[in-house]
Amino acid sequence: MCGIVGIVAKSYVNQTIFDALTVLQHRGQDAAGMVTCEGNRFFLRKDNGLVNEVFRTRHMKRLSGNMGIGHVRYPTAGSSSSAEAQPFYVNSPYGIALAHNGNLTNAEELAEQMFRADLRHINTTSDSEVLLNVFAHELQRQGKLRPSAEDIFAAVERVHERCTGGYAVVAMITGYGILAFRDPQGIRPACYGRRETETGFEYMVASESVALDVCGFTRVRDIEPGEAIYIDIDGNVHTQQCARDTSYNPCLFEYVYLARPDSIIDDVNVHKSRMLMGEKLAAKVLRERPDHDIDVVIPIPDTSRTAALEMAKALKVDFREGFIKNRYIGRTFIMPGQVERKKSVRRKLNPIEMEFRDKVVMLVDDSIVRGTTSKQIVQMARDMGAKKVYFASAAPAVRFPNVYGIDMPSAHELVAHGRTEDEVGAYIGTDWMLYQDLEDLQACVSAGNADIRNFDTSVFNGKYITGDVDAAYLARLEAKRNDAAKAGESSQDASSNDTNDLHNKID
């Protein structure tokens, strides 16, 4: 899960990109980066940290130009080293910078091709650098001194032919314009908008529509699966379908957890879809326990608040805020290791005793991944004097790792992997465990856009829609993603700080 943005404007874009990245900060807290272009020169700043930590006044003054791209990152493929912060850059052809949200499932094979056939060197373990080099190579093959929109779209066609996985991409070609495209299944989101100024229209591409809203752009539409949009430096918009076989399969987890509720993704209002999730959960409660004894519904802030409110309304029971969140602690989902996640939960949430004492409490969360957070929250509720603690998840059981750009852990670190719902409930210590049904979750989202009939539901049912994910691939993924591997990686990153500091001084 990362956030991307690209802008072609009539004035300097550095502040607007900064504002957009701040709004997209929930999509990645590991690193941030920005590249702007003035004339035929790129200006780059990227580093580990939050947006307001990476970009200080001295950096912003150097990021001049009327077009640029930006990125917020947390690592899925590659390490968390600052050397792998995005955007990446190659100088041939033309000079291209690229930022990417998603994950290529054939990145290792492509990296080998880059070296042996295309004679290109990949300097990091990031699949985003691989994708950049594939695009650069295919654009160079067009053999033009000045690339046209048709040349650029032809290169994107070849990218789709060579790359598999989920990806939303924004790229900038020095002196020419901004390009954005989306994988043929439409797994990862991207949209674009425009705003009118005295000197003409300005355009923005972003992962979520909320970035457009905050920066004063009007959303035009989502980029279609397999489609590319090229906005030249004069503000002319070119679009073309660049994939042969396309289908709408957006990531269902975007609507449950990843996206901000004030975003619209693939014409689906995220807030509305979460309201429906709460209604569906309430209907399941009434089916399974029509004589339930729930006194109060309490959300686990923040993502589940909308669903919890609608659930309480449908059940005709009280809705209460029982946890106060420390907003200066990052998402535990993105914490680098299990020990750090465990330590962060109690610092992040503090219960209000009066909302729990002598009550039957229904806790509502968007999902349960490792179960670490859920287990501690259930215990908090008991410590505050709750008579019974029930737990509802707005998403179905997460049983399988994600391979399309969400850093879900290895399968054996998922609490629901190999466990029944009741066994998960027993593990986290709840008196009753309630999961959303997959069919109900799909209905909540497709209600906003009848054209979406299928979704990427791989984390719930293990069905990987790109067709290239097998047991061997998942085994390699598990070796990279388990907490032990990440602990070793973090140690290695720490030992390379001297190199990273040198890199940071250069930019």
Side-chain angles (χ1 to χ4, degrees):
M1 179 180 71
C2 298
I4 59 172
V5 60
I7 302 176
V8 175
K10 305 299 181 180
S11 58
Y12 278 11
V13 297
N14 53 353
Q15 186 62 54
T16 306
I17 293 176
F18 177 92
D19 293 341
L21 291 180
T22 302
V23 174
L24 296 175
Q25 186 76 84
H26 62 286
R27 301 190 66 88
Q29 301 172 10
D30 179 70
M34 185 192 310
V35 178
T36 60
C37 180
E38 185 171 41
N40 291 317
R41 289 192 62 192
F42 271 171
F43 299 90
L44 167 67
R45 167 64 183 169
K46 60 179 182 176
D47 200 357
N48 278 7
L50 302 177
V51 174
N52 62 359
E53 296 169 340
V54 171
F55 302 107
R56 314 302 291 184
T57 301
R58 64 183 183 276
H59 305 124
M60 295 293 285
K61 287 180 177 179
R62 294 167 51 196
L63 291 166
S64 57
N66 292 1
M67 68 175 181
I69 63 175
H71 186 265
V72 287
R73 174 187 190 258
Y74 86 90
T76 52
S79 75
S80 59
S81 165
S82 61
E84 300 203 358
Q86 297 184 43
F88 286 107
Y89 166 78
V90 291
N91 61 9
S92 177
Y94 317 115
I96 303 171
L98 179 145
H100 159 231
N101 170 32
N103 190 56
L104 301 183
T105 51
N106 65 337
E108 292 182 4
E109 174 188 338
L110 286 169
E112 186 72 9
Q113 291 176 8
M114 286 286 100
F115 175 69
R116 296 191 179 278
D118 299 342
L119 305 180
R120 283 180 171 267
H121 173 68
I122 306 299
N123 194 50
T124 70
T125 58
S126 172
D127 61 336
S128 302
E129 190 188 9
V130 172
L131 201 157
L132 167 60
N133 276 273
V134 172
F135 172 69
H137 175 76
E138 297 301 336
L139 186 57
Q140 190 162 5
R141 287 182 61 193
Q142 304 303 311
K144 300 289 185 65
L145 183 62
R146 297 180 60 86
S148 65
E150 291 73 22
D151 297 325
I152 293 167
F153 291 145
V156 175
E157 286 180 15
R158 284 288 295 146
V159 170
H160 287 322
E161 290 172 5
R162 296 182 66 176
C163 299
T164 59
Y167 49 90
V169 176
V170 62
M172 179 167 60
I173 305 173
T174 313
Y176 291 101
I178 297 288
L179 167 72
F181 57 92
R182 195 174 173 193
D183 65 82
Q185 284 77 32
I187 300 172
R188 301 264 66 88
C191 61
Y192 79 97
R194 70 178 187 179
R195 67 183 178 189
E196 189 171 6
T197 68
E198 294 180 356
T199 54
F201 284 108
E202 300 178 333
Y203 292 89
M204 175 190 283
V205 177
S207 293
E208 295 184 34
S209 63
V210 65
L212 306 177
D213 300 337
V214 168
C215 296
F217 288 77
T218 300
R219 176 179 171 272
V220 175
R221 63 177 175 86
D222 296 281
I223 297 174
E224 298 289 322
E227 183 185 24
I229 175 171
Y230 171 59
I231 306 161
D232 65 37
I233 199 167
D234 297 318
N236 301 306
V237 179
H238 313 264
T239 64
Q240 183 171 304
Q241 177 54 252
C242 296
R244 295 177 183 175
D245 298 315
T246 64
S247 60
Y248 246 132
N249 295 277
C251 173
L252 201 53
F253 213 68
E254 286 279 354
Y255 302 93
V256 173
Y257 174 79
L258 302 183
R260 276 183 43 149
D262 45 346
S263 285
I264 295 173
I265 295 180
D266 289 317
D267 288 329
V268 177
N269 185 303
V270 175
H271 178 68
K272 178 63 175 178
S273 71
R274 290 177 184 169
M275 291 175 66
L276 295 174
M277 291 173 204
E279 294 177 9
K280 292 288 188 182
L281 278 174
K284 187 170 183 179
V285 168
L286 295 174
R287 285 197 310 270
E288 296 193 0
R289 296 192 181 183
D291 56 347
H292 70 82
D293 56 349
I294 300 169
D295 294 318
V296 61
V297 173
I298 294 179
I300 298 169
D302 286 317
T303 323
S304 62
R305 184 173 285 116
T306 304
L309 180 58
E310 294 305 307
M311 183 184 188
K313 186 190 302 183
L315 293 176
K316 298 180 180 178
V317 301
D318 289 339
F319 170 87
R320 290 287 188 269
E321 294 284 355
F323 295 99
I324 300 302
K325 182 178 181 180
N326 181 347
R327 302 192 181 279
Y328 303 98
I329 300 290
R331 282 181 164 183
T332 54
F333 181 87
I334 305 176
M335 291 289 178
Q338 189 77 339
V339 173
E340 185 62 25
R341 276 188 294 274
K342 286 181 178 178
K343 289 194 298 183
S344 71
V345 174
R346 197 61 179 83
R347 299 198 304 261
K348 182 178 179 180
L349 295 176
N350 194 47
I352 302 173
E353 182 177 352
M354 63 173 284
E355 299 297 354
F356 296 90
R357 178 68 61 186
D358 299 324
K359 295 178 183 179
V360 177
V361 177
M362 171 62 83
L363 300 177
V364 180
D365 206 351
D366 49 74
S367 58
I368 305 174
V369 181
R370 289 176 172 88
T372 308
T373 301
S374 304
K375 188 173 186 176
Q376 294 182 66
I377 288 173
V378 169
Q379 188 58 51
M380 284 186 211
R382 294 200 187 281
D383 292 344
M384 292 298 103
K387 287 195 297 186
K388 296 180 185 177
V389 181
Y390 303 151
F391 201 106
S393 168
V398 176
R399 304 186 188 279
F400 303 92
N402 185 279
V403 302
Y404 301 125
I406 307 173
D407 191 23
M408 292 287 188
S410 64
H412 292 94
E413 292 168 1
L414 297 167
V415 67
H417 183 76
R419 287 188 174 100
T420 66
E421 294 185 11
D422 289 341
E423 288 171 339
V424 173
Y427 175 81
I428 67 173
T430 187
D431 296 293
W432 180 29
M433 182 69 235
L434 185 73
Y435 276 110
Q436 187 86 264
D437 293 332
L438 180 57
E439 296 76 13
D440 284 346
L441 179 58
Q442 291 173 308
C444 293
V445 180
S446 59
N449 184 353
D451 291 334
I452 304 177
R453 298 181 178 87
N454 300 296
F455 297 89
D456 165 36
T457 57
S458 54
V459 296
F460 307 122
N461 58 14
K463 296 179 180 179
Y464 297 96
I465 57 177
T466 52
D468 61 335
V469 178
D470 55 17
Y473 180 92
L474 292 175
R476 293 196 301 273
L477 189 71
E478 179 158 354
K480 292 180 180 179
R481 285 192 178 176
N482 64 66
D483 282 335
K486 288 183 178 178
E489 176 187 279
S490 298
S491 174
Q492 185 177 24
D493 288 344
S495 69
S496 63
N497 280 343
D498 291 343
T499 304
N500 293 336
D501 287 345
L502 176 61
H503 172 81
N504 296 336
K505 289 173 184 175
I506 291 172
D507 76 0

